Amino acid sequence: MPAERLKPGGPGTAEPAASGLTPEEAFDALYAQAAPDLVHQTFLLTGRRALSREAVERAFQQAWQRWPEVAVDADPVGWVRAAAYEYALSPWHRLRRAHKHPDAPPPEAGRRGQELLSALLELPPPYRRTVLLYDGLGLDLPDTAAETEASTPAAANRLLHARTVLGRKDPDLAEPEELHRRLNALVAEEPVADLPAARAVRTGSEHRTRTWTRAVVGVTAVLIAMTGFTAVTAPTRYVPVNAPGETVNGVPVRGGPEKLRPEDVELRDRLRSEPNPGPERLIPVAG
């Protein structure tokens, strides 16, 4: 079992994508080289073995979907690592029953290993990721900041805060060399992850791509059909609707003049038949 599983995966790890290999061969070589180590690294972030394997498999599926981009990347392992870490640290996994509680560290890790893993999992995810990248993998501070999507001062503050918190649990962990050694010792006791074959990962990636493509095409077709139906059946001009009035608490409807009573009709007819603009029209006539 290797004593060192926390590997930085820097620019010197781009050999699997070298010229002379087919895309499938280059991907398989990258998968064989990086996948086991990435599973153990992701376990330190999550404390969940099944989620770690799932995150790494999903990250390599994304890498195969975008292989032309990953193949020419200066650090293909770093590309996959960032995708695996992002997936593993997604807050949605807290809602999944299978990943609700962390797994116990391997018995070989001992009490100190269990305390280290518990202390790591108590850190906020960005701080945990910063510690793993800088103290575990040995990335420099600018690269750590770039991978965690933070400024360099922010990454430095996270690192100092995380070391302070870990130092409260165990004063030895405040030393970067001791922290690096303990992180490697913790994952060195982890059993080798049971990963699917590289071909199965590529096949799963292609199947996922076809499924999403069909879903997008189906949704687009439904939207086009609904748009066409609406265009055919929609009215070409606005037709106002006169809603009938209703009496509320005995108050008559304000919709126009009320129906004339018989005496009102008689008065109207007299006014029309006897036009008189003079003042006598305003003098009531005794009946």
Side-chain angles (χ1 to χ4, degrees):
M1 183 176 298
E4 182 88 6
R5 283 181 177 167
L6 293 178
K7 299 178 181 179
T13 60
E15 290 86 351
S19 59
L21 298 177
T22 65
E24 292 78 7
E25 292 172 344
F27 176 86
D28 294 353
L30 178 65
Y31 181 81
Q33 169 194 335
D37 294 330
L38 288 177
V39 170
H40 295 292
Q41 295 170 24
T42 311
F43 173 70
L44 294 181
L45 288 178
T46 64
R48 295 157 175 82
R49 294 180 178 86
L51 178 58
S52 301
R53 293 191 294 268
E54 179 182 327
V56 173
E57 182 179 354
R58 184 65 61 85
F60 272 99
Q61 289 179 351
Q62 294 178 12
W64 181 242
Q65 293 171 3
R66 303 172 62 177
W67 186 248
E69 172 188 343
V70 178
V72 299
D73 194 275
D75 182 12
V77 176
W79 194 102
V80 180
R81 178 183 63 232
Y85 286 8
E86 287 290 339
Y87 182 87
L89 294 177
S90 172
W92 295 107
H93 297 308
R94 302 173 188 173
L95 305 178
R96 301 172 60 183
R97 181 177 299 179
H99 305 314
K100 192 172 183 180
H101 301 289
D103 301 327
E108 295 82 359
R111 179 182 59 83
R112 301 186 72 182
Q114 296 176 2
E115 291 177 351
L116 174 58
L117 183 60
S118 298
L120 281 174
L121 296 180
E122 290 178 2
L123 293 172
Y127 293 74
R128 200 184 314 157
R129 185 174 180 178
T130 301
V131 168
L132 179 60
L133 292 174
Y134 189 84
D135 286 326
L137 301 183
L139 270 66
D140 59 20
L141 199 56
D143 289 342
T144 300
E147 188 160 326
T148 56
E149 298 182 350
S151 64
T152 301
N157 289 332
R158 289 176 181 176
L159 182 63
L160 293 176
H161 176 78
R163 286 177 177 174
T164 301
V165 173
L166 294 176
R168 293 172 185 166
K169 302 287 184 180
D170 187 343
D172 294 338
L173 296 178
E175 297 295 329
E177 295 79 7
E178 178 64 16
L179 179 57
H180 177 77
R181 188 191 66 80
R182 295 268 292 274
L183 288 172
N184 279 279
L186 178 60
V187 297
E189 303 297 338
E190 269 291 298
V192 177
D194 184 16
L195 295 172
R199 181 177 180 180
V201 175
R202 286 190 281 107
T203 303
S205 175
E206 295 166 357
H207 175 72
R208 183 180 297 274
T209 301
R210 288 194 298 268
T211 301
W212 276 105
T213 301
R214 292 170 182 170
V216 171
V217 171
V219 172
T220 303
V222 171
L223 291 177
I224 293 175
M226 293 177 62
T227 303
F229 177 79
T230 303
V232 172
T233 58
T236 58
R237 60 187 181 87
Y238 175 70
V239 180
V241 178
N242 296 324
E246 296 182 1
T247 301
V248 179
N249 296 330
V251 178
V253 179
R254 296 182 59 187
E258 299 182 9
K259 185 177 181 180
L260 297 178
R261 296 171 297 176
E263 55 268 27
D264 297 330
V265 174
E266 181 181 358
L267 176 60
R268 183 192 63 184
D269 294 341
R270 287 182 56 190
L271 292 174
R272 290 178 176 176
S273 61
E274 302 176 3
N276 192 342
E280 55 272 12
R281 183 172 182 176
L282 303 177
I283 302 176
V285 178

